[in-house]
Amino acid sequence: MRWLGCLLLLSLAGCATVRPSNPNDICSIFREKRDWYSAAKETQKKWSVPLQEPFAILYQESGFRENAKAPRKHILWVIPWGRESSAFGYAQAENDVWKSYKRQTDNSGASRENFDDAMDFMGWYMDQTQRINGVPLRDVYRQYLNYHEGWGGYRRETYERKPQVKVIARNVQARSELFGQQYAACKTELDRGFWSRLWHSL
């Protein structure tokens, strides 16, 4: 019978990390994953980051997949050979910057596959971008350019040689605006307690 218990635990663990059924609607995401909403609210409170912005970046970077990896390199366009970078997890954080995050926040047990940690990392990174390069937290277009190119790359304006990155940054901005509009329409509902939500659903 022990193996049945193990299978049950594994199945429950798998359910906990399933991607949102409607990743294009932040209200649907939060209704489906109340723990994600709690993480988003905590990040907003701790880092003063509008919660729709890190969600728009996570959508772009990993599609809300906890074990997402950077694309593979190929030799002669055919033979797989390593990865393009060490980016991994919900936030596609690379090894070095993830280590810096854990050290500076004293969060040594943080995992890139844990949604709460990924959200906290996003808040920290955006806060650092504001401190290092003077980019306001609400300027998600330039925040994303920093996220993609790194703080040094942003200062060197490496994105100017990468028109596709600028297109992606505009897409992130548009998605952030969409998520923000959606969230404004459901925030009151989401902030109700369990019994209040149950009562209003009857």
Side-chain angles (χ1 to χ4, degrees):
M1 294 299 291
R2 182 180 297 176
W3 65 273
L4 286 174
C6 292
L7 284 175
L8 178 61
L9 287 173
L10 286 171
S11 66
L12 290 173
C15 291
T17 57
V18 171
R19 293 179 65 211
S21 57
N22 185 2
N24 294 301
D25 185 338
I26 201 169
C27 296
S28 175
I29 293 172
F30 288 153
R31 291 185 188 110
E32 182 179 343
K33 296 181 175 291
R34 297 293 301 184
D35 55 330
W36 284 23
Y37 185 48
S38 297
K41 292 280 285 186
E42 181 62 28
T43 296
Q44 184 178 54
K45 179 180 178 181
K46 181 178 178 180
W47 300 106
S48 301
V49 175
L51 59 79
Q52 67 269 17
E53 294 187 7
F55 262 80
I57 295 175
L58 290 179
Y59 179 101
Q60 174 60 44
E61 293 298 286
S62 70
F64 302 122
R65 290 177 293 123
E66 79 276 9
N67 59 355
K69 298 178 181 178
R72 286 190 177 278
K73 297 178 183 177
H74 290 84
I75 298 175
L76 300 176
W77 303 281
V78 177
I79 305 171
W81 191 265
R83 302 258 174 201
E84 292 181 1
S85 75
S86 60
F88 179 72
Y90 284 112
Q92 286 294 276
E94 295 191 8
N95 291 347
D96 288 344
V97 71
W98 187 257
K99 289 176 183 176
S100 295
Y101 158 72
K102 292 201 296 183
R103 183 175 63 253
Q104 291 188 27
T105 60
D106 196 26
N107 190 8
S108 60
S111 167
R112 285 177 283 186
E113 295 178 278
N114 180 284
F115 190 82
D116 289 24
D117 291 336
M119 280 297 294
D120 191 60
F121 168 80
M122 292 295 308
W124 169 83
Y125 195 98
M126 294 175 74
D127 178 72
Q128 290 294 302
T129 295
Q130 179 176 245
R131 294 172 185 272
I132 294 169
N133 283 335
V135 176
L137 294 173
R138 293 185 178 273
D139 186 349
V140 70
Y141 174 80
R142 290 196 292 154
Q143 281 280 345
Y144 183 76
L145 291 178
N146 274 268
Y147 197 78
H148 191 278
E149 299 298 290
W151 298 308
Y154 177 82
R155 287 195 298 272
R156 296 191 301 274
E157 298 184 348
T158 55
Y159 53 86
E160 293 293 354
R161 302 190 298 274
K162 305 174 183 178
Q164 186 59 31
V165 171
K166 296 169 73 174
V167 170
I168 293 172
R170 284 193 290 271
N171 290 341
V172 169
Q173 181 180 27
R175 184 165 299 281
S176 176
E177 291 169 359
L178 173 63
F179 279 170
Q181 293 166 6
Q182 293 169 343
Y183 178 56
C186 65
K187 181 179 185 302
T188 300
E189 168 207 334
L190 292 167
D191 285 340
R192 294 191 186 112
F194 171 77
W195 293 111
S196 178
R197 294 199 309 276
L198 181 62
W199 173 259
H200 281 83
S201 69
L202 298 177

